[in-house]
Amino acid sequence: MSVLRRRGLSLRFHRRSLLVSTGLALLTGALLVLLVGSGEYPLSPAEVVEVLAGGGHAADAFIVNEVRLPRAVTGLLVGAALGLSGAVFQALVRNPLGSPDVLGFTQGAATGALAAIVLVGGGSMALATGAALGGILTGAVIYLLAWRGGAHGQRLILVGIGVAAILTGVNGYLLTRADMADAGRAVLWLTGSLDGRGWDSALPLLAVLCALLPLVVLGCGRGLRMMELGDDAAYALGVPVERVRLALLVAAVLLAAFAAAAAGPVAFVALTAPQLARRLTRASGPHLLPSLWTGAALLLAADWLAQRAFPGHLLPVGVVTGLLGGGYLVWLLARERRAGRL
């Protein structure tokens, strides 16, 4: 642990975590350039960078700025939001299985989106709004049901799993109510897809991420680290536990909900990214920034695989993250069982 002091202010940071975050940020940038340059009209990394710097040919600029960059930036932001949200959830519940996928928030966003498609017949804007509202309302319901002198981790997990099961049934019913066109559209969204995403998908998520990142990392980061020691220890160290927990839950739910609104319920990124970040940093703590960059890099890599794995066939990015994340979950459960924690 290192301390940086400037003009009476001090900032504590873990040197390896900072190096890992920097390396992951550079990797994310490289993957972004690679993804933007890939396709039926290939561009070299130098050509992509030239266009991003304001130069290049008009045709190249159109391909990059209007066609590929909005999708890639949306993927980067969705991965970053899910990685940060997963890190907060796992730190709050003190369980590696704590993520929006497991706790029901993803299913709530799916319910809101399906209601917008099936019951209202709305377009893409109504779908995104429904997904965000569904995730937020689900978070409020889970928090209220889990409250009993405080919303502790084990109760949040159990209540979240129960709510997720209920919402899965609701989602299945809504699909049976849809006509063929709406059902196909809904199934594609439920898989998690970046197809056709433009700046209108990226900008709301960017605004939410910019607003919540300082709150989570700077405003509540210390409190979250203390709460990993247990509520009693955090209280003794002067942390207003329930106030910090509520603020972090609201932030994590908003990040997961707006990520689902932008790209659908992309599976397993929120579960996997914090665990990979923990193994890379080899340090204790919630690993908020490493998890953010790990999530961004994971989703960009998954999107590149989705576009290149089967030439002539573009897979939804959620299919790739589901396959990779499902395998990781099986490995994690086996590891937890061998360690005697399951």
Side-chain angles (χ1 to χ4, degrees):
M1 185 69 69
S2 302
V3 180
L4 178 65
R5 292 185 174 87
R6 288 289 186 277
R7 297 178 181 178
L9 299 176
S10 63
L11 176 65
R12 295 169 61 87
F13 62 93
H14 190 274
R15 187 170 299 173
R16 182 181 175 89
S17 297
L18 181 61
L19 292 174
V20 168
S21 297
T22 303
L24 288 170
L26 293 175
L27 175 61
T28 301
L31 288 170
L32 180 71
V33 171
L34 176 65
L35 190 59
V36 170
S38 301
E40 294 183 1
Y41 183 79
L43 296 170
S44 68
E47 290 172 325
V48 173
V49 172
E50 184 180 7
V51 170
L52 294 178
H57 299 292
D60 295 348
F62 176 78
I63 292 293
V64 170
N65 295 324
E66 303 299 327
V67 178
R68 296 179 183 168
L69 188 61
R71 172 190 175 122
V73 170
T74 300
L76 186 156
L77 294 173
V78 168
L82 290 176
L84 183 59
S85 177
V88 171
F89 277 124
Q90 290 182 18
L92 285 176
V93 302
R94 297 195 287 277
N95 191 310
L97 297 179
S99 79
D101 312 280
V102 177
L103 300 179
F105 303 105
T106 298
Q107 288 82 357
T111 302
L114 286 173
I117 294 174
V118 176
L119 303 180
V120 181
S124 58
M125 185 59 67
L127 186 152
T129 303
L133 290 176
I136 293 168
L137 289 175
T138 302
V141 169
I142 291 173
Y143 184 82
L144 291 175
L145 290 176
W147 177 270
R148 192 180 65 190
H152 299 286
Q154 195 69 19
R155 287 203 299 274
L156 280 172
I157 292 176
L158 294 175
V159 171
I161 291 174
V163 170
I166 295 171
L167 292 176
T168 299
V170 173
N171 294 343
Y173 171 73
L174 289 174
L175 281 175
T176 65
R177 291 280 308 275
D179 58 35
M180 291 299 294
D182 286 342
R185 180 177 163 217
V187 168
L188 178 62
W189 184 87
L190 287 171
T191 306
S193 175
L194 293 171
D195 292 343
R197 296 305 187 266
W199 292 117
D200 57 335
S201 299
L203 292 179
L205 181 55
L206 177 62
V208 170
L209 197 56
C210 290
L212 295 179
L213 184 60
L215 168 68
V216 173
V217 176
L218 300 178
C220 299
R222 176 186 174 276
L224 185 58
R225 286 193 297 273
M226 297 300 103
M227 287 165 61
E228 285 194 316
L229 302 174
D231 288 359
D232 293 338
Y235 275 122
L237 293 170
V239 177
V241 172
E242 287 307 322
R243 194 187 316 162
V244 171
R245 180 181 283 120
L246 178 59
L248 287 169
L249 278 174
V250 169
V253 168
L254 286 173
L255 288 169
F258 276 86
V266 180
F268 288 115
V269 173
L271 175 71
T272 308
Q275 295 300 310
L276 292 178
R278 182 181 296 273
R279 284 165 173 76
L280 289 172
T281 58
R282 300 177 188 173
S284 59
H287 309 97
L288 298 176
L289 289 180
S291 298
L292 180 149
W293 288 115
T294 302
L298 276 176
L299 198 54
L300 289 180
D303 192 31
W304 185 86
L305 283 174
Q307 296 184 50
R308 315 308 299 173
F310 299 97
H313 299 278
L314 299 180
L315 297 176
V317 68
V319 171
V320 178
T321 61
L323 290 172
L324 298 178
Y328 174 81
L329 178 59
V330 171
W331 174 85
L332 178 63
L333 291 172
R335 182 176 180 273
E336 292 292 302
R337 183 180 179 184
R338 285 197 302 269
R341 291 188 287 266
L342 281 179

